[in-house]
Amino acid sequence: MCYLQNTAKRYKGCGDLVRIKRDKIDCNRTDCALSGLHNPEYHVCASTCSQT
Ligand SMILES: [Zn+2]
Ligand SMILES: [Zn+2]
């Protein structure tokens, strides 16, 4: 499954957590609706592909 990866950094002094990066990690599966390689042909996406 695709997912978002958050990269955060915690400052030693005050302890604040600062988000510095948010990357989409692609699973490269043809049966994942969110993937960059998602099946381009006609298909019943809701029942054959992962939607999350
Ligand atoms: Zn995926
Ligand atoms: Zn699909």
Side-chain angles (χ1 to χ4, degrees), residues 38 43 45 49:
H38 179 221
H43 63 286
C45 200
C49 302

Side-chain angles (χ1 to χ4, degrees), residues 1-51:
M1 301 313 121
C2 308
Y3 63 96
L4 290 171
Q5 177 177 272
N6 292 310
T7 306
K9 172 180 171 181
R10 189 181 294 279
Y11 286 109
K12 273 184 189 155
C14 56
D16 276 353
L17 195 63
V18 178
R19 196 169 72 197
I20 53 178
K21 227 173 28 158
R22 198 174 191 202
D23 295 316
K24 179 174 178 255
I25 308 299
D26 203 305
C27 64
N28 294 322
R29 282 168 46 161
T30 57
D31 62 349
C32 172
L34 300 176
S35 167
L37 295 181
H38 179 221
N39 183 7
E41 289 168 30
Y42 179 77
H43 63 286
V44 187
C45 200
S47 62
T48 59
C49 302
S50 171
Q51 306 293 316

